[in-house]
Amino acid sequence: MVDVATLPDNGIIYDGDYYKGIPYGQYIRQQGIPDKRTSRVFDIRDFGAVADGMTVCTEAVNKAAEAARDAGGGVVLVDGGWYISGTVRIYDNTTLWITGDSALVASKNHDNFVDAFVILDNAKNVRVTGGGRIYGNGEYFVYLPLKKPLLTPLEKIKQPPYLYDPMGYPIDTMRYAIRSRIRYAEDKYGNGQPKIKRPMYMLWANGCKNVVIENIIIEASMDWNLCIDGCDNVKVSNIVINGNRHVANTDGIDVMGSEDVDVTHCFISTADDGLVVKAPRGHEHDGLNVADEGKLRGTKRVYFSDCTVLTVANAFKIGTETFYDIEDITCENCHFFLDIYPGSCSGIAIESADGSNVRNVTVRNITMDNVACPLFICLCKRNKFGYEDGCEEDKFYGGSIDGVVIENIKAVNAEVPSIITGYRMTKEEKLDLLAKESLSKDVAEKIGNLECLGKDLGSIKINGFDVTYRDDKEEINLLPEIHENVTDYPENSAMGDVPAYGIYIRHADCEYSNVHVVPRSMNTRECVVEE
């Protein structure tokens, strides 16, 4: 079968889409091919795969993987060129080995995929390595953007009054400057186009135990790059993610519903969040057919270290899919930067939006350059996933964020203040929300009798926070009351301008020391404001 692109006109690449300075040699080593004397090797060429740039080899690659499975394990070898394929599944005791001059290349035909490109499928003792590529052809799964990448800084920084529109209107705001350059699979620009079908993940470790992913390049993603989903004991190291920084939803590394995950020495250049921790109640994409939804759970003991992240979104993020609890998360010794504009949305974003109790988070020894908002911590109650039986009252109030330690942060070329906030609702807002929620009668009456509904952040400790703004221009429009972003998507631009240029703290138990922020020369605000 010859590969035929579903959307052949969408594969245009602009200057600024990809980062040109990735130091591959610092992350990727040459491994050659596995030793056939010590490993059972299943070469995809022996099962009919052809690296001719035209033939779709899905059947051949999967036959090799199935042969390895039936033999009790082995090495599925991708060697000798670039092989076009649809969805590939890897099973127990199997290594997917892609050599340095070779690649698994995503078919441009959307019908050749189910859920993901490469799936480690409820497997034990699996590995992905070899020094080669998993290549996604991401531009063929999204529409072209409204505008080309912005290669020079904005002359003036302006926030929307609050997040009343996902695109970030009015058009002279920083958020709109970002959103108008994104390539979406949906009709975000109102052109009457249908939604594009695309797999949700490039590499999906789904319900696995004992996983090693190292010495591999994930390139040109069509959606999330690496998703560690419902797994135990996962080691990720020395990988490069080289994505188009304008293809929507291309998260770097997502850890969700998993425990004991270590991610070290990785380079990530992507359009969406870079290092991500989630704990959703359900999978999200239309068309994602996950049989075992019951494996979804909290996320515990995740460690990120020695990573470099370039993204137009958030470099390190907890959220936003946050239903089950998240605890014991560390991110340290990382560098976040961006070479296009506006800068990264946030460097550190810690959010609980859907009921998660987020506990014991440490972020330290982080450097940033051209990151708009260095720190954003937000508790709200978007409540995306609704309620479980018996816990609707607890979930209605939202989750919690407690035990957060932020240490030794150094950022240059910042654009907007850092924000640390819980939430408050007026009685009228609360009653309006109650009318929309499916609560039992007793719980609804109990909550309805409260004059005010809100929740504070728990313990937040900051020590060593050194930030310098880019000395450009700003337009500040402070409203009489700062917007309480209670039920919408949490983001630093969602509340409009705040009265501090350094850190704005609201509804929070926050201790801070050694905070030093250098504002723009035209600044008129105070450094730290607590309300």
Side-chain angles (χ1 to χ4, degrees):
M1 180 173 63
V2 175
D3 193 39
V4 178
T6 306
L7 300 168
D9 297 329
N10 286 19
I12 298 170
I13 296 173
Y14 301 123
D15 189 21
D17 279 337
Y18 286 85
Y19 180 61
K20 298 176 181 178
I22 296 178
Y24 287 99
Q26 296 179 22
Y27 296 87
I28 305 299
R29 70 186 190 279
Q30 292 298 315
Q31 282 185 263
I33 61 173
D35 190 341
K36 295 183 179 181
R37 296 171 298 179
T38 58
S39 302
R40 289 187 292 258
V41 177
F42 300 86
D43 191 323
I44 64 172
R45 291 172 291 189
D46 295 337
F47 295 83
V50 180
D52 60 3
M54 298 182 295
T55 304
V56 179
C57 304
T58 312
E59 184 178 359
V61 180
N62 280 301
K63 281 184 176 179
E66 290 160 4
R69 176 197 62 195
D70 295 343
V75 177
V76 175
L77 178 61
V78 179
D79 183 39
W82 288 41
Y83 299 87
I84 298 171
S85 180
T87 295
V88 172
R89 297 178 183 272
I90 302 298
Y91 306 98
D92 287 354
N93 307 311
T94 300
T95 295
L96 174 61
W97 188 301
I98 306 174
T99 61
D101 63 347
S102 302
L104 281 178
V105 180
S107 166
K108 298 171 186 175
N109 185 334
H110 304 170
D111 293 333
N112 287 331
F113 298 93
V114 178
D115 298 341
F117 184 12
V118 178
I119 305 175
L120 311 182
D121 196 5
N122 289 285
K124 297 178 180 178
N125 309 319
V126 285
R127 186 180 179 208
V128 179
T129 190
R133 283 173 163 80
I134 300 173
Y135 190 90
N137 276 315
E139 293 80 18
Y140 291 90
F141 293 80
V142 286
Y143 292 111
L144 291 173
L146 191 65
K147 298 182 179 181
K148 293 182 180 180
L150 185 60
L151 306 181
T152 57
L154 294 169
E155 292 184 4
K156 180 182 69 176
I157 297 302
K158 179 182 177 181
Q159 294 276 50
Y162 57 90
L163 195 60
Y164 66 88
D165 182 277
M167 287 297 292
Y169 287 100
I171 62 173
D172 59 347
T173 66
M174 183 169 60
R175 181 175 173 83
Y176 183 82
I178 296 171
R179 293 285 169 174
S180 60
R181 290 171 169 84
I182 300 297
R183 304 174 186 226
Y184 298 97
E186 300 84 14
D187 183 28
K188 294 287 187 178
Y189 301 126
N191 296 322
Q193 298 165 315
K195 184 175 181 178
I196 298 175
K197 176 183 175 183
R198 59 175 175 168
M200 186 167 183
Y201 313 115
M202 285 279 284
L203 175 55
W204 183 23
N206 175 37
C208 298
K209 292 185 178 180
N210 306 326
V211 179
V212 175
I213 299 170
E214 53 93 25
N215 199 38
I216 202 78
I217 301 166
I218 302 175
E219 197 161 40
S221 176
M222 74 281 277
D223 215 309
W224 291 17
N225 281 274
L226 169 57
C227 182
I228 299 163
D229 181 5
C231 295
D232 293 292
N233 190 24
V234 180
K235 308 292 184 187
V236 179
S237 64
N238 294 294
I239 74 168
V240 169
I241 292 175
N242 177 24
N244 185 322
R245 274 94 55 87
H246 297 97
V247 172
N249 306 116
T250 50
D251 289 14
I253 300 175
D254 287 89
V255 181
M256 64 186 202
S258 297
E259 298 183 10
D260 300 304
V261 178
D262 287 357
V263 177
T264 58
H265 197 234
C266 297
F267 191 102
I268 299 169
S269 179
T270 190
D272 214 321
D273 304 325
L275 303 170
V276 194
V277 178
K278 300 177 183 288
R281 189 180 182 187
H283 290 84
E284 298 217 278
H285 258 16
D286 293 342
L288 187 64
N289 303 309
V290 180
D292 186 17
E293 287 280 16
K295 69 179 171 56
L296 292 171
R297 56 180 179 176
T299 301
K300 300 179 181 179
R301 297 181 297 280
V302 180
Y303 177 70
F304 299 106
S305 179
D306 191 22
C307 293
T308 296
V309 180
L310 297 85
T311 174
V312 300
N314 305 282
F316 165 73
K317 182 179 181 182
I318 296 177
T320 52
E321 284 68 38
T322 45
F323 184 83
Y324 297 110
D325 291 351
I326 294 171
E327 54 189 314
D328 300 328
I329 312 297
T330 299
C331 178
E332 63 183 7
N333 306 321
C334 293
H335 181 52
F336 307 148
F337 78 102
L338 194 61
D339 62 315
I340 51 179
Y341 302 90
S344 299
C345 179
S346 293
I348 302 163
I350 301 171
E351 304 163 4
S352 174
D354 309 305
S356 284
N357 296 302
V358 178
R359 298 183 286 258
N360 303 330
V361 178
T362 299
V363 185
R364 59 188 169 217
N365 303 332
I366 306 294
T367 57
M368 308 181 196
D369 187 355
N370 195 29
V371 171
C373 176
L375 175 64
F376 179 67
I377 302 177
C378 179
L379 173 65
C380 65
K381 51 173 282 56
R382 178 183 60 164
N383 193 24
K384 179 175 184 176
F385 302 105
Y387 309 111
E388 285 184 313
D389 292 340
C391 69
E392 56 182 340
E393 184 174 348
D394 291 340
K395 288 291 183 182
F396 182 85
Y397 290 98
S400 64
I401 299 176
D402 191 23
V404 176
V405 176
I406 308 293
E407 296 180 326
N408 192 23
I409 308 301
K410 295 184 178 180
V412 297
N413 293 315
E415 298 283 17
V416 297
S418 294
I419 297 175
I420 299 170
T421 183
Y423 77 89
R424 292 287 185 276
M425 299 177 70
T426 65
K427 187 173 182 178
E428 290 73 21
E429 290 171 329
K430 178 196 62 179
L431 292 174
D432 182 59
L433 183 61
L434 281 172
K436 301 175 183 176
E437 297 283 0
S438 55
L439 297 171
S440 65
K441 182 179 179 181
D442 291 345
V443 172
E445 287 181 353
K446 181 178 179 180
I447 294 171
N449 290 329
L450 298 173
E451 282 298 316
C452 179
L453 182 68
K455 204 163 189 180
D456 292 352
L457 297 175
S459 173
I460 312 292
K461 295 183 179 179
I462 301 172
N463 182 20
F465 190 75
D466 191 327
V467 176
T468 301
Y469 271 71
R470 176 178 284 111
D471 197 14
D472 44 14
K473 297 179 181 180
E474 63 185 13
E475 180 180 326
I476 306 300
N477 298 294
L478 279 170
L479 299 177
E481 293 185 5
I482 306 303
H483 182 65
E484 295 272 3
N485 190 54
V486 180
T487 58
D488 293 327
Y489 190 89
E491 194 169 284
N492 68 70
S493 62
M495 291 175 285
D497 285 312
V498 297
Y501 68 80
I503 308 176
Y504 176 64
I505 303 168
R506 178 177 65 177
H507 317 319
D509 175 14
C510 182
E511 300 177 20
Y512 55 90
S513 58
N514 299 315
V515 171
H516 180 244
V517 183
V518 179
R520 296 180 177 90
S521 55
M522 68 179 296
N523 172 68
T524 58
R525 294 179 285 182
E526 298 179 42
C527 182
V528 179
V529 173
E530 298 182 75
E531 293 184 356

